[in-house]
Amino acid sequence: MRTLTGRYRCPELGSMTFSETSPDRFLIDVEAWSSHAVVWTDRDGTRSLMLSDAPYAGLIQFLVTGTTARPSLQLEVGQVRYRFVRE
């Protein structure tokens, strides 16, 4: 997941920084709030970042999409999808 660290941007929601704080523990900072995140790998190999700090622990999940060269993180809220692309 280290390859995902960096600054991301979503046209609708703005900027977000994704950094590693320790092995297997990461920080998502979206300016208005921040939270640690853990990596979740589903049975089909799909990887996600699950927020682990209150009040969002377990409630917000970013799906890892895109390519290795141009990764993106997708946030689904109801039926709306927001895509953060690494700058």
Side-chain angles (χ1 to χ4, degrees), residues 13-81:
L13 300 178
S15 295
M16 169 178 74
T17 303
F18 177 67
S19 57
E20 184 176 23
T21 58
S22 64
D24 298 322
R25 191 155 163 92
F26 301 90
L27 181 69
I28 294 177
D29 185 350
V30 292
E31 297 174 14
W33 57 268
S34 64
S35 176
H36 284 94
V38 294
V39 178
W40 174 263
T41 304
D42 208 348
R43 282 184 266 167
D44 66 1
T46 303
R47 295 181 306 161
S48 299
L49 301 170
M50 183 74 67
L51 299 189
S52 59
D53 290 340
Y56 306 112
L59 298 176
I60 297 178
Q61 176 178 342
F62 291 87
L63 180 65
V64 178
T65 60
T67 64
T68 303
R70 185 98 168 145
S72 60
L73 302 172
Q74 182 174 291
L75 172 64
E76 295 184 15
V77 181
Q79 295 181 348
V80 180
R81 293 180 181 166

Side-chain angles (χ1 to χ4, degrees), residues 3-11 13-18 31 68-73 83-87:
T3 59
L4 295 175
T5 59
R7 189 165 176 83
Y8 290 75
R9 179 139 185 82
C10 172
L13 300 178
S15 295
M16 169 178 74
T17 303
F18 177 67
E31 297 174 14
T68 303
R70 185 98 168 145
S72 60
L73 302 172
R83 187 169 174 233
F84 289 84
V85 178
R86 189 166 66 188
E87 297 178 325

